[in-house]
Amino acid sequence: MKKALEKIILTVLTALFALALSACEKGQEATEIEVYMADENNAVYTLENDILKFEMDGTTSYFTLTDKRNGMVWNSVPENASEDPLADVAIINDMLSPLIVTYTDEKSNTNTYDGYTYAVKDGTFEITEENGEIVVRYMVGPAIIRYKIPQVIPVERMMIFLEKMDEKAKSAVLKNYQKLDISKISDPEKKKKYLEAIPDLENQPYYALSEYVGGKGLRAFLMQQIEDAFASIDYSEEDYEMDKAPNAAEEKIIIQFNVTIRFSLEGDALKVRVPEEEISYLPEYPLTELRLFPYFMNAGDTDEGYLLLPEAGGAQVFFHNEKAAASSYFSDVYGYDSAISRARRVQETESIMPVYAIAKNGSSLMAVCSLGAGDFAVEADIAGKRSSYDYIRNVFTIVHTMDTDISAKSVSTIRKFQQTHPSDTIELQFIAGTSNSYVDMAKRYRTYLMDTYGSLKKTEDAALPVVLEFVGAIDRTEKILGVPSTRVYTAATYDEAAAAVRSLQNIANLKLRYTDIVNGGNRQTVLASIQEVSGLGGKEGYQNLQDALAEADGDLFLSAYVMEVRKTTLFDGLSNLSDVIKDVTNTDVSIYPYASDTTYQRESASYLFYALNLKKEEKMIANWLAFCEKKQAGASFSDLGDFLVSNFDRNAASSRSDFLYMQSSLLSEAKENGQKLLIQGGYDFAAVYADTIVDLDLFGSEYDITDHQVPFYEIALHGYVSYTGAPINIYGNTKKAVLKAIECGAGFSFRFFECDYKELQNNRYTFTTNLYSANFESWREEIQALSDRVTEEIGDVNNLEIIDHKWLSDTVTLTVYENGTRVYVNHGNEVYSESGITVPAADFVAVKGGGQ
């Protein structure tokens, strides 16, 4: 192998010198690519502590992770992957890969290199032991692209080869070649182009790969499939020389990548780090995505268990669930990055926690992204589609890209890339567990949050929360002397909110959230200076509201946008040049909300908003925290906790993780200073500092691939942070929302808009926000009755941990609290009766514990 590797190295270095020279001639800085060789001594590299044993094969870089507590062994690649009858060559190579890199070439094609074909097979990696870590340095990518396949070949000659192939190989070939018959081409320009590429086309028809007749090149894995097909019939070097295109270059250089992976053990966790400074690529071929150990968390035919998706609070996908027709799962952690434009949204992909897991044969392995989570996604699929294995895995975005129009007069687009090198180190923790329970995994995740953020403590609020949200002011277009004019319109006054509080009795954990009350209300300007909306009631009305909440022993939270600017004015303290995030073309990012009734954005000035850059956003959060402290109220945010962006400004770039760290730091400081915090959405890095979370997603997107929603995230937080789901009164299905909240140990929130519904007609709120069931008085009795019933039947469980949760049937769940209280929820339409427990259809039954 050594001589072969020396030949590869010489070829690679020669090729890289040529590419580096080319890059420098274009004014770009070339990145040096290192070449490595695998160990020839069959060494085994080992890490070990009291709980785990990690062993890596020096000849392949494959590893096993053994849990010494129960003997469970986790393999980095499926043991029998190469023999999978369902998988084609490309999928088998993926399964045998320690990593997969995706990059974009000079023609804007997206290509993928699997680490088996382009590192393990050739041995282009190096393993060392450094300061308690095992370090693997990969060079991923072949020295050159020279696929031994026909480039242009007469049809008659091609048929001879095809007759020797099996049906699968024949299909791989034919679907990727273009058949050209000059007698059937009427377009004179096309005829001229093809004859210039293949002069002999005048005499006979040909098959050709598109790139040799002026078309776009095929992706690397397709070229590999074609090469494998011809290799199966012993296509020779002489055949290749005969079928080379007249205009083909002798060699076609391809880019290589360096990726270094560092392994260490800490307690029950295998830590895996990829430092950004140890990722290398040439600027002409940016590395856009990285997948680490893509089939580490897999399940074969004989395994039992499930995948745990970060969908809403969590979702199970049982092994072998026979849902091959269902789409695979993909979700962006912390949602889609709005700094990257997209034409439409078919389905929102968003996870509030950077976690995924597998429970297999009585054990579990949970992956937590502890660094680089801002550019992290999770994908999963089931057996029976392209392989015999269920799997769940990570996807890291390294270099961001977006397509942009060439001009307003053209439908053509070009792909642009971020100009700054990524600055985030990637770190995954694979945490081993000795049970297959998602409850146990959730408890371990809680421990991780405590260790990482150090802020989770048992809440003092024993009763489940009831949150009343009042919208303070909106904008409304009125005609004045026949001229349309936009004015701020009061939606709910302080006195109206105070009256609502006083009308409710004995609600033990009441919280009032007041939104849209400063700087223009819902269309809020930047918080450089903060002015309350006139018409809400002034100091007297505000004091009345505070008094009402004091009487009810409730908490007041004031809410504003600290990351977004919904309206700009001439002297508002906002500079688009220096304060607004930029996309990868260094252009201001214009963000529009998606309408609830379509997949498209509402692209008009009345919907437009901007996101602030890191420096400006930090000031706005600090301003708002100071304002709320002055007003003697808790601080709430209308965006922080469910919105996260990048900034690709070439002069002041910030990753999503940079924003994450800044927000987490400010929230931590506020919490330490005793300020009460209410956040929206519940991203984990913000949730750990909150007294209350609202709009926590309890349902998710309900993918067809999933089998059960489970409250994994809620179990991790319960007893430490109060939370509610979406406002019940505008959810659409009130009963469904209530039952889900009770199953998940959530409180209840309601959003109110105290004005005539006619004021909402024919304006932007018609399409973006459902506020047509938002009058408090029409909901007062139902709120009171719901609170009374939950207090009477379930009792004070908000400050208790959830110690168990299970699905008793396809429609009935059981939630158990640490004091022994058991809550049965029937989501179905039929009565459930089992083991002495009867639960009416679409209802719940609680059995109190702890002597209550």
Side-chain angles (χ1 to χ4, degrees), residues 22 28 64 118 131 188 235 437 512 560 583 740 790 795 842:
S22 170
Q28 296 172 313
T64 59
Y118 297 109
N131 302 318
Y235 187 77
S437 166
L512 190 139
D583 64 21
K740 193 66 178 178
V790 170

Side-chain angles (χ1 to χ4, degrees), residues 15 49 169 210 230 306 325 330 335 366 383 439 445 525 530 544 594 697 737 812 817 840:
N49 63 19
S210 62
F230 278 95
Y306 58 88
F330 180 91
M366 176 172 63
V439 176
Y445 179 52
T525 59
I530 301 176
N544 182 34
Y594 286 86
D697 186 359
V812 179
Y817 295 92

Side-chain angles (χ1 to χ4, degrees), residues 457-500:
K457 297 179 181 178
K458 278 289 190 79
T459 179
E460 296 179 359
D461 295 326
L464 290 171
V466 174
V467 180
L468 309 181
E469 177 185 322
F470 284 87
V471 178
I474 64 168
D475 61 295
R476 186 180 65 166
T477 301
E478 300 176 349
K479 287 186 177 181
I480 300 176
L481 299 177
V483 179
S485 177
T486 301
R487 293 176 175 270
V488 176
Y489 179 78
T490 302
T493 67
Y494 294 137
D495 286 339
E496 287 171 330

Side-chain angles (χ1 to χ4, degrees), residues 353-627:
M353 53 182 170
V355 180
Y356 62 97
I358 184 171
K360 184 165 75 171
N361 303 335
S363 296
S364 66
L365 194 63
M366 176 172 63
V368 181
C369 181
S370 45
L371 291 174
D375 293 316
F376 175 60
V378 176
E379 60 185 8
D381 212 345
I382 58 174
K385 291 183 179 181
R386 302 182 66 189
S387 79
S388 301
Y389 296 88
D390 302 274
Y391 69 84
I392 188 166
R393 64 190 182 198
N394 56 78
V395 185
F396 289 94
T397 299
I398 306 300
V399 175
H400 294 80
T401 73
M402 63 178 279
D403 293 330
T404 184
D405 295 334
I406 294 176
S407 74
K409 298 180 180 180
S410 172
V411 295
S412 299
T413 60
I414 58 174
R415 184 166 296 179
K416 300 289 289 184
F417 305 90
Q418 73 182 89
Q419 296 299 302
T420 53
H421 186 80
S423 59
D424 294 329
T425 291
I426 292 168
E427 182 178 86
L428 281 170
Q429 297 189 34
F430 292 96
I431 301 172
T434 56
S435 83
N436 66 350
S437 166
Y438 54 84
V439 176
D440 289 341
M441 284 189 274
K443 293 175 182 177
R444 180 61 182 86
Y445 179 52
R446 181 198 302 143
T447 301
Y448 163 83
L449 292 174
M450 288 178 170
D451 292 344
T452 302
Y453 298 100
S455 62
L456 281 179
K457 297 179 181 178
K458 278 289 190 79
T459 179
E460 296 179 359
D461 295 326
L464 290 171
V466 174
V467 180
L468 309 181
E469 177 185 322
F470 284 87
V471 178
I474 64 168
D475 61 295
R476 186 180 65 166
T477 301
E478 300 176 349
K479 287 186 177 181
I480 300 176
L481 299 177
V483 179
S485 177
T486 301
R487 293 176 175 270
V488 176
Y489 179 78
T490 302
T493 67
Y494 294 137
D495 286 339
E496 287 171 330
V501 170
R502 289 192 172 98
S503 70
L504 298 172
Q505 304 297 316
N506 301 319
I507 295 184
N509 188 6
L510 179 66
K511 302 176 189 297
L512 190 139
R513 183 192 192 203
Y514 219 126
T515 68
D516 307 320
I517 61 170
V518 298
N519 292 27
N522 186 267
R523 290 196 69 197
Q524 179 195 300
T525 59
V526 68
L527 295 176
S529 62
I530 301 176
Q531 300 294 326
E532 291 181 63
V533 172
S534 61
L536 295 178
K539 292 182 180 180
E540 184 177 337
Y542 186 74
Q543 185 61 54
N544 182 34
L545 177 58
Q546 286 186 309
D547 292 343
L549 283 163
E551 294 162 12
D553 197 22
D555 294 320
L556 173 63
F557 293 88
L558 305 180
S559 190
Y561 295 97
V562 293
M563 304 166 64
E564 305 168 27
V565 175
R566 305 222 152 196
K567 183 179 180 181
T568 59
T569 59
L570 192 57
F571 301 107
D572 58 7
L574 179 75
S575 167
N576 279 35
L577 184 65
S578 60
D579 295 335
V580 173
I581 66 167
K582 316 292 184 188
D583 64 21
V584 296
T585 69
N586 213 44
T587 303
D588 293 348
V589 175
S590 299
I591 305 175
Y592 299 91
Y594 286 86
S596 57
D597 57 341
T598 75
T599 60
Y600 293 93
Q601 292 174 310
R602 295 283 176 184
E603 294 192 9
S604 73
S606 62
Y607 299 105
L608 171 67
F609 67 94
Y610 297 101
L612 300 172
N613 64 21
L614 185 73
K615 185 176 179 181
K616 191 71 171 181
E617 181 184 307
E618 185 173 9
K619 289 182 180 178
M620 299 309 99
I621 295 173
N623 286 357
W624 186 244
L625 288 169
F627 176 82

